[in-house]
Amino acid sequence: MALLADGCLERNAWICGDYVSSRSDEIMAALREHVSLTVSAVGYGTLIAVPLVLAARRRPVLAAWISGATSALYTVPSLAFFAILLPFTGLSRTSVLIGLIAYTLVILFRGFHTGLGSVPPEVRAAAVGMGYGPTRLLVTVELPLALPSVMAALRVATVSTIALTTVGATIGHGGLGDLIYDGLGSTFKAEVLTASVLCVLLAVTADLLFVAAQWLLTPWRHGTRGSPGARRTPGPPGAPGG
Amino acid sequence: MSMLIETASWLADGRNWSGHEGIPARLGEHLVLSGASVGIAAALALPLGTALGHAGRGGTLAINISNVGRAVPTFAVLVLLAIGPFGIGDTTTIAALTLFALAPLVTNSYVGVREIDGDAREAARGMGMSGWQILRGVELPLAAPMIIIGLRLAAVQVVGTATIAALIGGGGLGRFVVDGLARHDDPQIVGGAVLVAALALAVDGVLLGAQRLLAPRGGPTGRSPVGT
C-alpha cells in the first residue's frame, strides 16, 4: 500500500490506491445506487413482463404486438430516453429507472415467452390429463422446464442494465457512471478506471450469481452433458444486447 | 401537451435545419460515425466469426466475447479512451463504438455458420468440395440471413449509442441532447432524442429490407436453398 500511495493522486495515475481509500464512501455510495437501480429495473421489468407473457400466451396476436412494441422501445437510444423523460419526471432517479425498465422488457418478454413456448406439447397434455389446472401446470411443469430460457433472459437483462445505467450519469443518477462522468470533466484517471472496472466486476458477479442460481434450481440437469456450470448460449442470438 | 408542441416547433424551425450545426449536418456526422464503426467492426468480426464457425472451434470464445461485450459499458470505454491515449475526437468515438459492435457480429456469424444442417456440409464434402469451397458455396450462403440479423442489430445499437459521442464533445445528433441538457432547453433535448430514435428506426427498416431481400424464403435461422 505504501508503495502504491506515493503521490499517485498528484501524478494522476490510472491505478491509485490513495483514490480508493480516500474516496471509499463516495465509491460505495455509487456502487449501492448502481446495484439498487439494476435490481429495481430488472425487478419491475419482470413484474411487467410476466403478465404480458401470460396475456400473450392466451392471444397469439398480442404476442406479435407486444414484441413489436417492446422492440420499438429498444430502438430509442438510452441517452435520448432519459432525456425524453426529463420534462415529465425531471432530473430524477425515476427518469433513469423508467428508461432502464423499458429496455429490460424486450429481453425479458422474449426470453420468458420463448421459454414457455418451448415446453413440449405432449408434456403439457400429460399434465392436463393428470388433472393439473392452469396455475398448477404453469408453476410445477411449465416454469421449471422454461427455467433455462427464463434465467438466460434475466442474465442478459441484468448485465446489459448494469452497463446502461452508467449513461444515467448525464442526468445525475448513473451509479458508478456518475464517477465516470465526473472523472471525464476533471480528467481524473483513477476515478474513471476504478468506476469502469467496478462496473464490469459487478456485471460479472451478477452473471455468476445467475449461473449458480440456475444450477441450484435445475438439479435434474446436472452432469448430463458438459461441466455442471457450463455456460449456455445466452438466449436467442438475435436478442439485443447492451 | 405543450412539450409536444414546443418540440414540434423546434423540429419545424428553419434555423435548426441550416449551417454546420444544423440537423442535416449533425445527421451526416452521426451517419459517418456509425457507418465507420459498424464497417470496421464487420471487417474484423465477420471473418473471425465465420472462421470459428467453419472450424467448429472457439464456440466458448465467441459466446464469451458476446457476454463480456454486454458487460462493458460503452460510456466507460468512451471516457477511458478520451482521457487516455486517443484524446477527445472522432477516433475515440469510432474506437469505442467499434468495440461495442464486435459482440453481436462475432456471435451471429459464428452461430449462423455453426447451426447449418450437418447434412449439407457432409453432402458438400462428399461432392469433393474443399474446406474453402464449402465455406464459400455452402456455409456463407446458408449463414447469410443470420449474419445480416447480426449486422442489423449492431447497426441499430451503434446508431443509438453514437448519441453518447456528444458527451465527450463529439458531433452527431447527440449534440442536441447534450447541449439541450446543459442549457435546460427541453424542446431541443426531446427534439434531438426524437431525431435519433427516428434514425435508428429508419436504419432498422432499411436493413430489415436487405434481410428480406437476401433471405426471401428463410426464417430467422434461414434454411433457404443453396444458390447454384
Side-chain angles (χ1 to χ4, degrees), chain B residues 84-117:
Chain B
F86 290 0
I88 280 172
D90 286 351
T91 320
T92 300
T93 306
I94 292 172
L97 291 175
T98 301
L99 280 174
F100 176 64
L102 284 176
L105 292 171
V106 171
T107 317
N108 272 45
S109 49
Y110 170 80
V111 173
V113 172
R114 205 54 246 152
E115 280 195 345
I116 291 166
D117 202 338

Side-chain angles (χ1 to χ4, degrees), chain B residues 104-155:
Chain B
L105 292 171
V106 171
T107 317
N108 272 45
S109 49
Y110 170 80
V111 173
V113 172
R114 205 54 246 152
E115 280 195 345
I116 291 166
D117 202 338
D119 294 348
R121 208 177 273 125
E122 277 307 302
R125 198 166 289 135
M127 283 163 67
M129 288 170 96
S130 68
W132 178 243
Q133 285 171 322
I134 294 176
L135 179 67
R136 262 194 45 192
V138 180
E139 290 175 326
L140 280 183
L142 285 173
M146 193 64 131
I147 295 175
I148 301 286
I149 289 177
L151 211 53
R152 186 178 145 212
L153 198 64

Side-chain angles (χ1 to χ4, degrees), chain B residues 9-33:
Chain B
S9 61
W10 182 84
L11 284 170
D13 192 339
R15 280 171 298 171
N16 293 328
W17 287 86
S18 60
H20 68 283
E21 290 188 349
I23 293 168
R26 294 300 186 201
L27 181 71
E29 289 170 356
H30 205 100
L31 285 173
V32 168
L33 288 175

Side-chain angles (χ1 to χ4, degrees), chain A residues 120-209:
Chain A
E122 56 271 22
V123 171
R124 204 174 284 131
V128 171
M130 285 165 70
Y132 278 43
T135 312
R136 195 166 164 219
L137 175 70
L138 180 70
V139 174
T140 60
V141 178
E142 293 179 310
L143 210 53
L145 286 175
L147 210 66
S149 190
V150 168
M151 294 299 277
L154 284 170
R155 280 174 68 184
V156 174
T158 306
V159 171
S160 45
T161 301
I162 290 172
L164 270 177
T165 301
T166 55
V167 183
T170 46
I171 62 171
H173 293 271
L176 293 164
D178 292 351
L179 303 182
I180 298 174
Y181 202 37
D182 182 60
L184 170 67
S186 53
T187 60
F188 188 173
K189 291 177 178 171
E191 188 174 29
V192 175
L193 186 68
T194 308
S196 307
V197 169
L198 280 175
C199 253
V200 176
L201 286 179
L202 183 62
V204 172
T205 310
D207 202 40
L208 289 176
L209 284 176

Side-chain angles (χ1 to χ4, degrees), chain B:
Chain B
M1 246 356 240
S2 67
M3 195 63 236
L4 286 178
I5 296 163
E6 284 173 46
T7 304
S9 61
W10 182 84
L11 284 170
D13 192 339
R15 280 171 298 171
N16 293 328
W17 287 86
S18 60
H20 68 283
E21 290 188 349
I23 293 168
R26 294 300 186 201
L27 181 71
E29 289 170 356
H30 205 100
L31 285 173
V32 168
L33 288 175
S34 315
S37 311
V38 176
I40 296 169
L44 295 171
L46 298 185
L48 176 67
T50 45
L52 288 174
H54 176 73
R57 284 195 207 109
T60 333
L61 176 70
I63 301 302
N64 280 339
I65 287 178
S66 165
N67 282 341
V68 172
R70 243 193 291 272
V72 178
T74 311
F75 175 55
V77 175
L78 187 70
V79 174
L80 280 172
L81 294 178
I83 65 172
F86 290 0
I88 280 172
D90 286 351
T91 320
T92 300
T93 306
I94 292 172
L97 291 175
T98 301
L99 280 174
F100 176 64
L102 284 176
L105 292 171
V106 171
T107 317
N108 272 45
S109 49
Y110 170 80
V111 173
V113 172
R114 205 54 246 152
E115 280 195 345
I116 291 166
D117 202 338
D119 294 348
R121 208 177 273 125
E122 277 307 302
R125 198 166 289 135
M127 283 163 67
M129 288 170 96
S130 68
W132 178 243
Q133 285 171 322
I134 294 176
L135 179 67
R136 262 194 45 192
V138 180
E139 290 175 326
L140 280 183
L142 285 173
M146 193 64 131
I147 295 175
I148 301 286
I149 289 177
L151 211 53
R152 186 178 145 212
L153 198 64
V156 173
Q157 294 189 349
V158 164
V159 166
T161 311
T163 320
I164 63 176
L167 290 175
I168 60 156
L173 293 168
R175 270 282 38 106
F176 296 121
V177 178
V178 172
D179 291 347
L181 278 168
R183 278 191 243 131
H184 302 287
D185 182 349
D186 285 355
Q188 184 183 328
I189 299 174
V190 182
V194 168
L195 288 171
V196 186
L199 180 62
L201 284 172
V203 168
D204 194 37
V206 168
L207 291 175
L208 180 66
Q211 184 186 325
R212 297 236 163 105
L213 276 179
L214 263 159
R217 268 167 290 184
T221 45
R223 292 276 146 78
S224 52
V226 188
T228 42

